[in-house]
Amino acid sequence: MNFTRWSARLPGTQRRAAARTEDSPTALPSEGSVPAARAERLSDAALLPVVDELPVREVLDRIPALVALVQGPDHRLAYVNDAYVAAFGVRPPGEPARTALPELAEIGLLPLLDQVLRSSKPRTVKSRKAPGGRSYTFTCTPVEVSATPEGSGVLIFAADVTDHAEAAERLRASERRQRETAVTLQRSLLPQELEEPDDLRVAATYHPGGTEAAVGGDWYDVITLGGGRTALVIGDVMGRGVRAAAVMGQLRTAVRAYARLDLPPHEVLQLLDGLAMEIDANQIATCAYAVHDPNEGRLVYASAGHLPILVRDESGTVLRADEPTGPPLGTGGWMHASGSIPLGPGSTAVLYTDGLVERRDADLDEGIASLERALAGATGTPQVVCDRLVRSAGVTADHDDDVAVLVLQHPARTGPDSELFRNAALELLGGVEAAPRARAFASGVLTSWRFPTDLHDLGVLAASELVANSLQHGTPPMRLRLRRTDRRLIVEVTDGDDHLPRRRRAEPADESGRGIAIVATIASNWGSRRTPGGGKAVWCEFALPRTT
């Protein structure tokens, strides 16, 4: 092939040739128009060969990049340079590219050649791994070859980018390892196993957002408070990174500590707010803290800037716990308040973070409304509900925000299962007859529940001591409540005085002060709390023997 003639047909060649004719070096500049030194430089440059006069084949043979020229609709091979031969071996000219250049067919480049011929526009594919393990970036450029019957062709230029490709792969592998480490860190800060309350069934899920190695600050927790009550927490530390995860870990630990005090939800958030300011005044977090008491059939909650809790009742109606909601944690100067929402048998509640409902192209209220519709039709176990809500929200592996979901159900128990969950209560007005009435009531109830003799006696003794303590240190009205679940017996006494008892060592000469010590000794667990309407509740638990 005559490369000199072919080079004259390359795009731009005719324009440069015409420019050389117009600016012929024989045309001398006018006197005084060019300094002498510049004139000498122009004269020296005129003696050097210009690019258009270089032999094309000599240039293509010597460049280190791979070059091939194919012609016509069958892409018949017209030329390969020495670098191409060194990379893939000798290639027979005149054969179609599918036969002569099998390496191009293997990496899927032949359809690109067709596109270049049809569009007369160059195309580039980056970092394709060719046979032999080397990576190349291929650029295909249309050319006109008037000396051949086909009249058109494609110049294939391949630059070796193996080093760049390997470096990029090492970087991607490093980012994957960093992300795995970050996700492991995040998951390690979440509860490894959720606590299992007697009266609730719970499930949770966490989906890390995005593909970068940044850690999110979403968290959730389930805390059994004793006396049959359960605390549920969900929160979100704003931002991403290890700092957000560290703040999240500190807040979660603090929530568990404050929960053991059995405080009302708004008081827990009040303590968390002060702690968040001490940790980092610039780090804002949202949190919802709720407490479920099976005796009341309600979920008492407080929210610090978090999204509303959703509850679906037994009939399928979804309620939204919108109010009250205070500002996020760490803002300070706000008095949080508690609200409540019904959560009776057959109900399902959902606590979630904004990653589940917030989208850049939609309003937040639309996302919450969509979640309400999904919850209305979501049935099954808590884990099934979790999975359905995540799928309905379109959360995928490349979702751009972390997602945490906590689902709890208060199952409606019927048949033999309902026999394992019983309640009995007695109102006490005080006076000398209160203690004997309480003992008689407790004995009758525990006998009807068919408890073994030793557990029956311990339950009666605990009821007697708690009532005696309330009579001595509390004020009417008083109530004795007995509750059994499939795992424990709970004895609880409430009265109108808000002074919480404490366990102390009684001296031999003391006539009182031993009641709480006796209860703490015989029971599996005991505690006390202030009740919302004023007063207190003192309770103890006995673990039931497991049936085989």
Side-chain angles (χ1 to χ4, degrees):
M1 178 179 179
N2 189 337
F3 276 92
T4 303
R5 184 181 305 171
W6 169 62
S7 67
R9 300 292 295 172
L10 285 174
T13 302
Q14 297 90 337
R15 293 192 300 272
R16 290 192 295 270
R20 288 199 309 273
T21 304
E22 295 173 0
D23 297 334
S24 173
T26 57
L28 296 177
S30 59
E31 184 178 357
S33 62
V34 178
R38 179 168 175 81
E40 290 175 1
R41 285 196 299 271
L42 290 174
S43 299
D44 294 339
L47 299 177
L48 298 176
V50 294
V51 173
D52 291 336
E53 295 175 354
L54 294 176
V56 175
R57 178 157 193 154
E58 182 178 351
V59 172
L60 296 180
D61 281 341
R62 293 184 179 182
I63 63 176
L66 281 58
V67 178
L69 177 67
V70 295
Q71 298 176 324
D74 294 335
H75 310 302
R76 295 184 178 275
L77 180 61
Y79 165 78
V80 292
N81 70 346
D82 294 342
Y84 200 106
V85 172
F88 298 114
V90 178
R91 293 293 179 257
E95 295 292 331
R98 186 173 300 277
T99 303
L101 305 172
E103 58 278 355
L104 300 188
E106 187 171 335
I107 62 177
L109 202 64
L110 298 185
L112 189 67
L113 301 180
D114 295 331
Q115 294 179 20
V116 171
L117 278 182
R118 287 195 302 267
S119 64
S120 297
K121 295 181 179 179
R123 295 285 190 274
T124 299
V125 292
K126 296 182 178 180
S127 192
R128 291 289 181 90
K129 182 170 287 189
R134 307 292 294 179
S135 296
Y136 299 90
T137 290
F138 292 87
T139 299
C140 300
T141 305
V143 295
E144 297 178 4
V145 189
S146 59
T148 60
E150 291 82 355
S152 61
V154 178
L155 182 68
I156 304 168
F157 185 92
D160 191 331
V161 293
T162 304
D163 292 342
H164 297 281
E166 291 177 350
E169 180 56 36
R170 288 193 297 269
L171 180 60
R172 286 191 293 269
S174 175
E175 290 177 345
R176 285 193 297 268
R177 289 192 297 270
Q178 291 178 18
R179 174 171 170 75
E180 291 170 1
T181 301
V183 172
T184 301
L185 171 63
Q186 167 74 349
R187 292 189 185 279
S188 69
L189 295 173
L190 296 173
Q192 303 305 300
E193 291 185 4
L194 292 177
E195 296 185 20
E196 298 181 2
D198 293 359
D199 294 273
L200 298 177
R201 293 184 296 178
V202 296
T205 186
Y206 168 73
H207 292 267
T211 56
E212 72 279 1
V215 189
D218 294 16
W219 94 90
Y220 55 82
D221 211 346
V222 177
I223 309 166
T224 53
L225 301 177
R229 303 166 74 249
T230 305
L232 306 121
V233 194
I234 195 160
D236 184 4
V237 178
M238 302 303 176
R240 300 178 67 82
V242 176
R243 181 60 183 169
V247 173
M248 178 269 283
Q250 294 177 77
L251 291 178
R252 177 176 172 258
T253 303
V255 168
R256 294 192 70 86
Y258 296 148
R260 298 306 177 191
L261 301 176
D262 215 340
L263 299 172
H266 65 276
E267 292 189 23
V268 172
L269 291 190
Q270 210 70 49
L271 293 172
L272 279 179
D273 185 37
L275 178 64
M277 293 185 65
E278 293 178 8
I279 294 174
D280 188 346
N282 297 319
Q283 193 78 59
I284 304 300
T286 64
C287 180
Y289 181 88
V291 176
H292 176 256
D293 189 336
N295 297 310
E296 299 176 359
R298 301 187 70 80
L299 194 66
V300 181
Y301 68 90
S303 175
H306 204 78
L307 298 175
I309 300 172
L310 302 182
V311 176
R312 187 192 66 199
D313 62 19
E314 193 173 14
S315 65
T317 303
V318 178
L319 306 176
R320 185 188 298 192
D322 276 323
E323 297 294 341
T325 299
L329 301 175
T331 55
W334 181 268
M335 295 300 295
H336 292 275
S338 294
S340 67
I341 189 170
L343 187 70
S347 299
T348 300
V350 178
L351 293 79
Y352 52 95
T353 56
D354 58 0
L356 185 67
V357 295
E358 190 173 32
R359 300 292 182 270
R360 291 191 177 94
D361 57 348
D363 186 74
L364 181 60
D365 286 336
E366 294 180 7
I368 298 176
S370 177
L371 181 63
E372 288 179 342
R373 292 190 293 271
L375 177 59
T379 58
T381 66
Q383 190 59 59
V384 171
V385 174
C386 256
D387 296 339
R388 290 189 61 178
L389 295 181
V390 170
R391 285 198 304 271
S392 68
V395 176
T396 58
D398 57 351
H399 193 63
D400 60 358
D401 194 6
D402 292 9
V403 174
V405 183
L406 179 62
V407 174
L408 58 140
Q409 291 179 343
H410 187 185
R413 295 180 171 88
T414 58
D417 191 31
S418 64
E419 297 296 321
L420 301 178
F421 293 81
R422 295 290 192 88
N423 277 290
L426 174 67
E427 300 293 338
L428 298 170
L429 301 178
V432 294
E433 78 282 355
R437 283 189 62 204
R439 286 193 293 271
F441 175 78
S443 179
V445 169
L446 297 181
T447 299
S448 68
W449 288 351
R450 299 179 181 178
F451 282 158
T453 303
D454 57 344
L455 185 58
H456 170 280
D457 294 343
L458 291 175
V460 172
L461 176 58
S464 176
E465 292 296 338
L466 291 181
V467 168
N469 181 78
S470 181
L471 287 172
Q472 184 172 358
H473 302 289
T475 58
M478 290 178 287
R479 172 187 287 183
L480 169 63
R481 175 182 287 163
L482 302 177
R483 177 172 174 78
R484 72 155 295 169
T485 70
D486 58 342
R487 284 180 279 181
R488 71 196 82 233
L489 166 66
I490 303 169
V491 181
E492 182 180 79
V493 175
T494 60
D495 64 51
D497 186 85
D498 61 0
H499 178 73
L500 299 181
R502 60 185 179 88
R503 183 180 180 182
R504 66 183 181 87
R505 182 186 298 275
E507 298 298 332
D510 292 344
E511 296 182 359
S512 63
R514 294 179 176 85
I516 295 299
I518 293 173
V519 170
T521 301
I522 64 176
S524 304
N525 192 16
W526 81 280
S528 62
R529 71 179 188 278
R530 291 186 174 89
T531 53
K536 66 176 178 296
V538 185
W539 55 266
C540 66
E541 297 178 346
F542 297 89
L544 300 184
R546 293 186 177 274
T547 58
T548 57

